[in-house]
Amino acid sequence: MYLGLPAIEWFGYLASILVALSLTMSSIVRLRWVNLTGSALFATYGFIIGSFPVALLNLFIALTNIFYLAKMHRERDDFKIIQLSGSDQYVACFLETHRDEITELFPLFQDQELPRLDVFYLVKNAVPIGILAGHRVDEETFCIDLDFVRPAYRDFKMGRFVYDPEGFFRTKGIGRLHAPVCGSRHDRYLERMGFSRRGDIYEKQLGGR
């Protein structure tokens, strides 16, 4: 017993916490993985204590999560990067809708910079899911000032497409990417995408010519 409760009850509490936690997640993929873990534990808990309605319901939920995760894995997403004007009304609307989180993730970014930046839609399966904006530092270096994707689509697939060493930026003659250190969780995302910190900037070398 732990803190006056049998170990099996703590097992049930853990399963409950994971299921509840999954419902707070904005990323659909992350939600399903955490919910899968919680429901699988809950099904096990139900079988152990002999509560078959609990066990069978959560087994069904776990199998449903597995089905949709496998479906997501098999689907071939169509990603596109579409250039537009920094004065585009959709850009202004998108930034205003996500103002609080953009300010949190990109404290150095200011809207008034947009007219001098190259601005792009990040599109997945014909749905605009994010905005990327930046500027040329020199002939082959591009600095990313803003790279914001809506929370539900943050499964790193868009990031891998954007920062493919032989992808979009290479077709523009860019061999090096910079991004300012933001002091937020966006820094960890840049590291995940292959950027290395160099003082107050992150840098990523792209494929050779």
Side-chain angles (χ1 to χ4, degrees), residues 152-176:
Y153 296 93
R154 292 177 191 166
D155 56 6
F156 299 103
K157 289 183 179 180
M158 187 78 235
R160 285 191 286 268
F161 176 77
V162 171
Y163 298 121
D164 180 351
E166 299 292 344
F168 173 76
F169 285 107
R170 287 301 293 152
T171 67
K172 302 292 184 181
I174 295 167
R176 185 186 305 109

Side-chain angles (χ1 to χ4, degrees), residues 61-77:
I61 294 172
L63 292 174
T64 300
N65 280 314
I66 291 172
F67 172 81
Y68 280 106
L69 284 167
K71 183 179 179 182
M72 290 177 190
H73 181 73
R74 289 194 304 268
E75 287 178 344
R76 293 180 61 85
D77 292 312

Side-chain angles (χ1 to χ4, degrees), residues 34-170:
V34 176
N35 192 271
L36 168 60
T37 303
S39 56
L41 291 177
F42 231 138
T44 303
Y45 171 76
F47 282 118
I48 291 174
I49 67 173
S51 178
F52 293 105
V54 170
L56 294 176
L57 172 61
N58 282 279
L59 179 60
F60 173 78
I61 294 172
L63 292 174
T64 300
N65 280 314
I66 291 172
F67 172 81
Y68 280 106
L69 284 167
K71 183 179 179 182
M72 290 177 190
H73 181 73
R74 289 194 304 268
E75 287 178 344
R76 293 180 61 85
D77 292 312
D78 179 27
F79 294 110
K80 286 184 173 62
I81 301 175
I82 302 174
Q83 189 161 11
L84 52 111
S85 167
S87 60
D88 188 287
Q89 290 186 351
Y90 178 82
V91 176
C93 179
F94 185 95
L95 294 178
E96 190 57 38
T97 299
H98 300 282
R99 173 70 56 205
D100 291 344
E101 193 171 15
I102 288 175
T103 300
E104 174 194 346
L105 294 176
F106 304 92
L108 303 178
F109 178 76
Q110 301 293 328
D111 286 10
Q112 54 265 34
E113 298 177 2
L114 282 172
R116 70 175 185 83
L117 301 179
D118 293 318
V119 184
F120 306 88
Y121 285 140
L122 303 178
V123 179
K124 176 180 179 179
N125 300 331
V127 177
I129 66 171
I131 295 288
L132 185 145
H135 64 279
R136 289 260 188 175
V137 176
D138 55 42
E139 184 177 345
E140 68 166 26
T141 306
F142 189 85
C143 181
I144 306 292
D145 295 291
L146 175 68
D147 174 13
F148 183 85
V149 171
R150 292 162 53 195
Y153 296 93
R154 292 177 191 166
D155 56 6
F156 299 103
K157 289 183 179 180
M158 187 78 235
R160 285 191 286 268
F161 176 77
V162 171
Y163 298 121
D164 180 351
E166 299 292 344
F168 173 76
F169 285 107
R170 287 301 293 152

